[in-house]
């Protein structure tokens, strides 16, 4: 029970990595806020799974790209949970596009969700994060490598790291630890567009020979959310099976 009595708000927790984080945190005693935008049915299932394991949490509907929706969502969470010990900026979107074909609206939407969504969540949550709290960002290996068909995505994930490092410095006097996780290729809906051939090719490129599991990212988030990481801030932990070592 690494998070007994803690409260955690997780964006985009209806499926994939966010779902795994919500379940892992709840298994360790946290009361979790499960944010979702449109997938209410999936979010309810996540809460159901948590409650079956005697954990607790609540659903939080809201588009993280909207400051107003995030403000409402945070207010609903705090009404019940009182404060936010742990904020996880997880929600994100990926749209495959070469830059030459990348429409401005797509660029803006990806930046609005992936990067400005972090601004909205941090801005609205910060007044409720006590000293000793945690902020975790789910970035990507593409923040370092770039992406031939995801300039918007890679830009948003690199920008997120600038925000993470800056908040780490600003919030260190309050012992609020701010870190990021940079996943490699994790087996979620975000890679659902892979053909069998693309999947095999990707697996052959990964030194550990397989895609990662959402739970393997959630375990690192658990470490960063817990007292075990008490002297780590401003850091990015890569969870990529050796695909990008730096
Ligand atoms: P996913 O598509 O399975 O889940 C994304 C989640 O974000 C969903 O719950 C979705 O409903 C939510 N979401 C999307 N837009 C939202 C919005 N505007 N407001 C609120 N919620 C919204 O993807 P995933 O693989 O679980 O990705 C989780 C995070 O991990 C993302 O930030 C993604 O960029 C990052 N990531 C994933 C991989 C991977 O290979 N799967 C690799 C690196 C980074």
């Amino acid at each position: 029970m690494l998070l007994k009595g803690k409260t955690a708000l997780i964006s985009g927790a209806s499926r994939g990595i966010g779902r795994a984080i919500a379940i892992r945190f709840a298994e360790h005693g946290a009361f979790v806020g499960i944010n979702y935008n449109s997938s209410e049915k999936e979010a309810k299932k996540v809460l159901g799974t948590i409650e079956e394991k005697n954990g607790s949490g609540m659903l939080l509907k809201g588009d993280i790209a909207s400051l107003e929706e995030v403000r409402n969502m945070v207010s609903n969470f705090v009404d019940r949970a009182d404060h936010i010990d742990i904020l996880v900026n997880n929600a994100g979107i990926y749209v495959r596009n070469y830059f030459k074909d990348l429409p401005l609206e797509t660029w803006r939407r990806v930046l609005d969700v992936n990067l400005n969504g972090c601004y909205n969540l941090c801005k609205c949550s910060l007044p409720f994060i006590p000293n000793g709290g945690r902020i975790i960002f789910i970035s990507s290996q593409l923040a370092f490598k770039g992406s031939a068909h995801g300039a918007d995505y890679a830009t948003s994930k690199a920008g997120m790291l600038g925000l993470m490092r800056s908040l780490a410095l600003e919030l260190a006097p309050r012992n609020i630890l701010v870190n990021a996780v940079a996943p490699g290729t994790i087996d979620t809906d975000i890679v659902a567009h892979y053909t069998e051939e693309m999947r095999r090719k990707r697996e052959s490129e990964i030194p550990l020979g397989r895609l990662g599991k959402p739970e393997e990212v959630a375990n690192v988030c658990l470490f960063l959310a817990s007292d075990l990481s008490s002297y780590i801030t401003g850091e990015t932990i890569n969870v990529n099976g050796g695909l990008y070592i730096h």
Side-chain angles (χ1 to χ4, degrees):
M1 283 282 184
L2 291 173
L3 305 179
K4 198 161 192 268
K6 302 283 186 194
T7 62
L9 196 168
I10 300 141
S11 69
S14 61
R15 59 172 194 258
I17 293 171
R19 171 185 186 275
I21 296 170
I23 292 172
R24 186 63 89 239
F25 280 16
E27 282 169 349
H28 278 266
F31 176 84
V32 292
I34 301 160
N35 161 244
Y36 67 97
N37 186 20
S38 51
S39 336
E40 185 173 5
K41 217 168 135 192
E42 284 176 290
K44 277 186 175 160
K45 271 196 205 158
V46 176
L47 184 57
T49 304
I50 286 171
E51 288 174 344
E52 270 166 28
K53 295 168 181 246
N54 295 321
S56 60
M58 68 187 285
L59 300 180
L60 296 167
K61 180 170 169 50
D63 178 353
I64 60 157
S66 155
L67 183 61
E68 201 190 327
E69 290 190 28
V70 171
R71 196 176 286 124
N72 287 337
M73 186 174 105
V74 166
S75 158
N76 289 341
F77 184 69
V78 170
D79 276 351
R80 219 169 129 192
D82 183 65
H83 60 275
I84 305 171
D85 289 304
I86 306 150
L87 168 66
V88 185
N89 291 283
N90 166 75
I93 52 173
Y94 175 85
V95 187
R96 190 181 162 91
N97 257 323
Y98 287 100
F99 187 73
K100 65 181 173 59
D101 305 319
L102 179 62
L104 180 60
E105 315 86 76
T106 308
W107 166 271
R108 286 204 170 127
R109 179 65 187 162
V110 170
L111 270 286
D112 267 347
V113 175
N114 295 6
L115 184 57
N116 297 335
C118 295
Y119 170 90
N120 294 339
L121 281 161
C122 292
K123 192 75 180 171
C124 297
S125 302
L126 202 47
F128 304 104
I129 300 181
N131 292 356
R134 299 287 201 275
I135 303 178
I136 300 169
F137 290 85
I138 306 300
S139 178
S140 166
Q141 63 175 342
L142 300 182
F144 305 102
K145 290 171 70 174
S147 168
H149 41 68
D152 44 2
Y153 182 84
T155 303
S156 69
K157 293 296 180 179
M160 190 187 258
L161 296 182
L163 176 61
M164 179 275 289
R165 294 188 190 107
S166 305
L167 287 179
L169 291 172
E170 185 173 331
L171 301 176
R174 292 182 50 203
N175 198 34
I176 295 175
L177 308 185
V178 188
N179 292 290
V181 178
T185 310
I186 309 298
D187 202 355
T188 70
D189 282 3
I190 224 169
V191 298
H193 65 280
Y194 275 25
T195 60
E196 200 45 47
E197 193 188 340
M198 282 163 77
R199 196 184 166 94
R200 271 201 301 275
K201 182 172 176 295
R202 175 44 59 98
E203 282 169 351
S204 72
E205 291 162 353
I206 300 171
L208 288 184
R210 63 174 176 84
L211 269 51
K213 300 178 194 143
E215 293 73 22
E216 292 173 309
V217 179
N219 287 339
V220 178
C221 293
L222 174 65
F223 165 71
L224 288 174
S226 77
D227 287 343
L228 296 177
S229 63
S230 53
Y231 201 52
I232 301 177
T233 196
E235 188 54 81
T236 302
I237 301 185
N238 296 285
V239 183
N240 63 23
L243 183 58
Y244 187 61
I245 296 177
H246 51 115

